[in-house]
Amino acid sequence: LLSCRLYCEEAKDPKRRSCQTVLAEALDIVVRSFAPILPHLAEEVFRYIPYKKDSEGVFRTGWINASSAWKKPGIEEAIEGACAMRDSFLGSISGKNALEYEVIIVIEPGLLFELMEALQAEETSSVSQLNEIMMASQTTLLSELPKETPSDANIIKGTFLINLEGGDICEQSSYKVIARPIAKAKCPRCRRYTAESSSTPCPRCLQVLAAGKGST
């Protein structure tokens, strides 16, 4: 997930920059956490952080002070729900390359479906947060099984308990996961199976490359 955002997106793309922001915040908190017991290591790490060149050091800049902006209701449950579905997906392909598959997630209308929509607004996407978590080449989010689903399709069923507002909102939701071999070719740039041919980058990569040429 991180490598795709960092190495495949355009340098100034919000997805890439947001990933860098999360990594920077995580590093700051981890270093401050072990500073009292590993002071020399903490100071050395701070000294080599490129965006803290004028820093006074870890001990002169205070203790951990995480912003309340990181606390967004529902995000933790959305990620945990997506990870549960990813485990179902990966278990159904028994160690095969997840990028060689597309995933169909079916959830009845309700809170769980709304949480997944926060991770993927489009019905089908190869670049959404949900698809990144699923580790597939493409993810489709539906509220009912597709009519063309074969009768012998391997449908993995599961449930997920949503617990919000300290238990004030609880909902047990069921989901179905279907993994299908993807019909597209492997993109030579991002390595996902989202290209029309193996010699041509996928639409997302073509757009990034075009933007890079335009900025030079």
Side-chain angles (χ1 to χ4, degrees), residues 66-76:
S67 171
S68 59
W70 294 101
K71 299 178 181 179
K72 294 185 178 180
I75 291 297
E76 182 178 354

Side-chain angles (χ1 to χ4, degrees), residues 116-178:
M116 292 306 105
E117 279 190 316
L119 300 177
Q120 178 169 304
E122 309 88 351
E123 182 176 285
T124 299
S125 177
S126 60
V127 296
S128 67
Q129 295 181 70
L130 179 58
N131 187 66
E132 289 179 343
I133 294 171
M134 296 304 293
M135 300 169 61
S137 279
Q138 179 176 287
T139 297
T140 298
L141 179 63
L142 301 172
S143 58
E144 58 183 13
L145 280 173
K147 295 180 179 179
E148 67 273 13
T149 302
S151 57
D152 59 346
N154 183 19
I155 302 176
I156 309 300
K157 299 180 180 180
T159 59
F160 182 73
L161 177 62
I162 301 171
N163 193 333
L164 294 172
E165 304 295 336
D168 292 339
I169 302 176
C170 289
E171 183 175 299
Q172 181 88 11
S173 300
S174 60
Y175 62 84
K176 299 180 181 71
V177 175
I178 305 173

Side-chain angles (χ1 to χ4, degrees), residues 5 28 46 59 65 72 92 121 124 137 140 158 169 192 213:
R5 286 195 177 194
D28 185 86
F46 250 61
F59 292 102
N65 186 25
K72 294 185 178 180
S92 71
T124 299
S137 279
T140 298
I169 302 176
R192 287 182 175 176
K213 290 180 180 179

Side-chain angles (χ1 to χ4, degrees), residues 9-22:
E9 299 291 354
E10 187 183 353
K12 296 182 179 180
D13 188 280
K15 291 181 181 179
R16 184 175 185 274
R17 296 305 300 273
S18 67
C19 181
Q20 291 176 310
T21 300
V22 170

Side-chain angles (χ1 to χ4, degrees), residues 18-32:
S18 67
C19 181
Q20 291 176 310
T21 300
V22 170
L23 291 174
E25 182 74 6
L27 177 62
D28 185 86
I29 290 175
V30 169
V31 173
R32 293 183 191 278

Side-chain angles (χ1 to χ4, degrees), residues 79-128:
I79 299 298
E80 289 180 351
C83 288
M85 297 174 200
R86 179 191 62 194
D87 292 343
S88 297
F89 160 56
L90 295 178
S92 71
I93 61 175
S94 61
K96 296 178 182 177
N97 184 2
L99 289 175
E100 296 179 358
Y101 289 83
E102 62 173 322
V103 182
I104 299 174
I105 299 173
V106 182
I107 309 171
E108 293 184 356
L111 187 54
L112 182 59
F113 187 87
E114 292 175 4
L115 290 176
M116 292 306 105
E117 279 190 316
L119 300 177
Q120 178 169 304
E122 309 88 351
E123 182 176 285
T124 299
S125 177
S126 60
V127 296
S128 67

